[in-house]
Amino acid sequence: MKIGLDVLGGDYAPDSTITGAIEAQKILQDDQRLVLFGDHDDTVERLKQAGADPDNFDFIHAPDVIGMHEHPTKAISQKPNSSIAKGFEFLKDGKIDSFSSAGNTGAMLVGSMFSVKTIPGVLRPAIATNVPKIKSGYGILLDVGANADCKPEMLNQFALLGSLYAQHVYGLNNPKVGLLNIGEEEEKGNNLTISTYPLLKENSSINFIGNTEGRDLFTDLADVYVCDGFTGNVVLKLAESFYVVTLKKGMKDDFFDRFNYERYGGSPILGVNAPVIIGHGISTPEAIKNMVLLSRDMIESNFIDIIKSAFN
Amino acid sequence: MKIGLDVLGGDYAPDSTITGAIEAQKILQDDQRLVLFGDHDDTVERLKQAGADPDNFDFIHAPDVIGMHEHPTKAISQKPNSSIAKGFEFLKDGKIDSFSSAGNTGAMLVGSMFSVKTIPGVLRPAIATNVPKIKSGYGILLDVGANADCKPEMLNQFALLGSLYAQHVYGLNNPKVGLLNIGEEEEKGNNLTISTYPLLKENSSINFIGNTEGRDLFTDLADVYVCDGFTGNVVLKLAESFYVVTLKKGMKDDFFDRFNYERYGGSPILGVNAPVIIGHGISTPEAIKNMVLLSRDMIESNFIDIIKSAFN
């Protein structure tokens, strides 16, 4: 398999991306090749300086950078030699099996949808993220930002996408799906969740356990929490800020540690024709390493074929 | 002034409500009378047992209880002798100057809207809550659950309601108002926030500072965070769950302590014709005491007249 990585994406690129790539490569099997998208000579030079053997990597020369605040659609079309545009070109042509980047999130979304394209039957892809459980392990929350406005049918699909992700990539058996809402009872909610509830209830492909609330997100009540991308994004950023507070206050705790995005590497875009993972802008080498390993897990699990079958 | 309190509302009523009332009464001035709505003889007996002088209180006999899970509208009309129905009857007739309860939130909302009624010009009342700032003090978040679906015009009004509350009840000078959103830029958001932004920008009655994100909620970026009641309710319950985790883990910290609802007593319903405060279902005597003191502050500040003038 060929695992594509954007060497130029992220606030600390290329230092942290190359260091992360080196660490990941040590863990990968021989037939799992890392393909680095960035400035060829610079990347090779940096690998050598870090004591790594460039022969252990593949390289695609893509020296241009899409900045964090550039307009996604414009940037992708106007910078064909950017690491992100090149990555999606190769992913679309099947020359790599996954692509990940800690760069411009919007460009990653645009690249996924317009280049790799949405899987037939999927209305809209969703971005999933890990939410730590107080006891141990992780739950999945989606959508966390790809779709600010959603329809009930979309949330019903997110439930299946998240469920399959939890099951096949995270090994959770028969994952419990909860609708993130503002009351326990079926009739509670806003127009969106009230209309979504019956769809989830009738969806025989998921293990729907009913409504969940903000206070349930870190409990074992559900494994997959489904919401619109606006709510999910507010929740995600709020949760991150708590983690930052505990860090600043020097609080050490296993639960808080699991908020650390570095541990799980990144957030996949579920529902497109290839594994695509978005890393946090401030990704460290550890985060990059785990983003590569998550890419490997998504390829190994044949996750895309599973999604295709489910939505066929 | 006459401060109405529901003795029968809340999971630990009437023990915690009566103990809280006794503590509050010790702080109140002679012309600030607490009016207790509940079973007359039982309330008097409990006050005596606790060593308090019943002459320091007024009593309205209202022995029926609206349970936490009763249907609000039905319960209020079918239980005219319930403490909540009686409280709103007295509040509507001007026999008390405020009413607060840790009982059924829905019944408190219904009572506010159908008995005391919305202030002319206010589209919909909103529930406001305190959010602690990391450095010190509190910000205000609204709506946290009165309106699951909102229109831009409603959010624009919430901004003014929250702003006046922060200014006149919490003494914050020229409070900064932020729109809770999923990006910093003006064009970011869902349909609701994108349409709300220009209204806030043009609203000369508030100090609008732009979009804020989930990660900003506990910072000094804004003093008043405006959102729809669905988002606000999810955020509120999520934040509470963090506080509970830090409690369970024995983490002591001034910032986390300020999450404790007991400190500020309750959440006011802003935009109705009298001060109405909803307490947490698990309200302790300390919470009840502070709910009474918040009622006093809202009466003393002539908050309702200020709102009426602003929306005239």
Side-chain angles (χ1 to χ4, degrees), chain A residues 127-133 138-144 158 161-167 169-170 172 175-178 217 222-227 264 268 270:
Chain A
I127 302 176
T129 195
N130 289 31
V131 283
K133 294 188 176 191
Y138 288 99
I140 302 295
L141 172 70
L142 80 168
D143 173 31
V144 295
F158 296 169
L161 288 169
S163 193
L164 292 170
Y165 181 64
Q167 188 178 339
V169 180
Y170 275 86
L172 289 171
K176 293 175 285 184
V177 177
L217 196 65
D223 302 303
V224 178
Y225 294 88
V226 175
C227 63
Y264 53 87
L270 304 182

Side-chain angles (χ1 to χ4, degrees), chain A residues 134 148-149 180-182 189-191 213-215 218 230 233 235 237-238 242 245 249 251 253 256 259, chain B residues 134 148-149 180-182 189-191 213-215 218 230 233-235 237-238 242 245 249 251 253 256 259:
Chain A
I134 294 169
D149 291 286
L180 190 57
N181 207 335
I182 58 169
N190 58 10
N191 291 336
E213 298 185 84
R215 66 168 66 95
F218 307 115
F230 184 90
N233 192 269
V235 161
K237 287 175 179 165
L238 181 69
F242 267 101
V245 168
K249 291 185 182 288
M251 291 171 170
D253 180 89
F256 294 134
F259 275 89
Chain B
I134 294 170
D149 291 285
L180 189 57
N181 208 335
I182 58 170
N190 59 10
N191 291 336
E213 298 186 83
R215 66 166 67 96
F218 307 116
F230 183 90
N233 191 269
V234 169
V235 161
K237 286 174 179 165
L238 181 69
F242 266 101
V245 168
K249 292 184 181 289
M251 291 171 171
D253 181 87
F256 294 135
F259 276 90

Side-chain angles (χ1 to χ4, degrees), chain A residues 179-186 188-189 211-213, chain B residues 233 237:
Chain A
L179 177 62
L180 190 57
N181 207 335
I182 58 169
E184 294 169 16
E185 302 85 352
E186 181 166 350
K188 287 285 177 74
N211 285 327
T212 59
E213 298 185 84
Chain B
N233 191 269
K237 286 174 179 165

Side-chain angles (χ1 to χ4, degrees), chain B residues 202-213:
Chain B
E202 289 160 23
N203 188 339
S204 59
S205 305
I206 60 166
N207 177 15
F208 181 52
I209 55 100
N211 285 328
T212 59
E213 298 186 83

Side-chain angles (χ1 to χ4, degrees), chain A residues 227-281:
Chain A
C227 63
D228 65 90
F230 184 90
T231 305
N233 192 269
V234 170
V235 161
L236 172 64
K237 287 175 179 165
L238 181 69
E240 276 185 359
S241 77
F242 267 101
Y243 170 62
V244 171
V245 168
T246 62
L247 268 190
K248 281 187 182 161
K249 291 185 182 288
M251 291 171 170
K252 277 280 169 198
D253 180 89
D254 185 55
F255 169 58
F256 294 134
D257 283 352
R258 271 179 285 119
F259 275 89
N260 190 347
Y261 70 93
E262 289 177 292
R263 285 217 187 175
Y264 53 87
S267 297
I269 301 176
L270 304 182
V272 293
N273 280 301
V276 176
I277 301 173
I278 305 172
H280 204 300

